[in-house]
Amino acid sequence: MNERKHEDILRDSVEKWNAWRLENPDIVPKMELARLEDLDLENADLRGAVLTSARLTGANLRNAQLCSADLSEA
């Protein structure tokens, strides 16, 4: 799955994203340069995700799981 598809799933809804993560535990979500500004990402499972240079300004990350996520330059 390409990086754009990962971002599309997350943008669709956190519930769909978290369900996808449960179904695909071995896939490392890669969303370099993702545009996630102002999204409600509360409770999103972003563990291990590659979010290098992602745009997160104004995003709600309350209770998001970010363990081992790469947020370099985000």
Side-chain angles (χ1 to χ4, degrees):
M1 181 176 288
N2 67 37
E3 295 173 19
R4 184 70 183 146
K5 292 284 186 182
H6 293 167
E7 184 178 342
D8 290 344
I9 295 168
L10 183 56
R11 286 179 154 285
D12 194 30
S13 79
V14 169
E15 291 79 18
K16 286 183 182 180
W17 172 260
N18 287 343
W20 177 81
R21 292 296 312 262
L22 283 173
E23 294 169 7
N24 299 280
D26 297 329
I27 295 176
V28 174
K30 295 182 181 175
M31 296 181 283
E32 291 98 345
L33 302 169
R35 299 186 63 145
L36 304 174
E37 304 102 318
D38 300 316
L39 289 182
D40 183 1
L41 302 176
E42 185 170 355
N43 298 313
D45 180 356
L46 298 170
R47 291 175 292 168
V50 178
L51 293 161
T52 307
S53 299
R55 296 182 184 177
L56 296 167
T57 304
N60 175 9
L61 293 168
R62 177 170 285 186
N63 295 321
Q65 298 173 41
L66 298 165
C67 182
S68 299
D70 183 352
L71 297 166
S72 302
E73 299 181 32

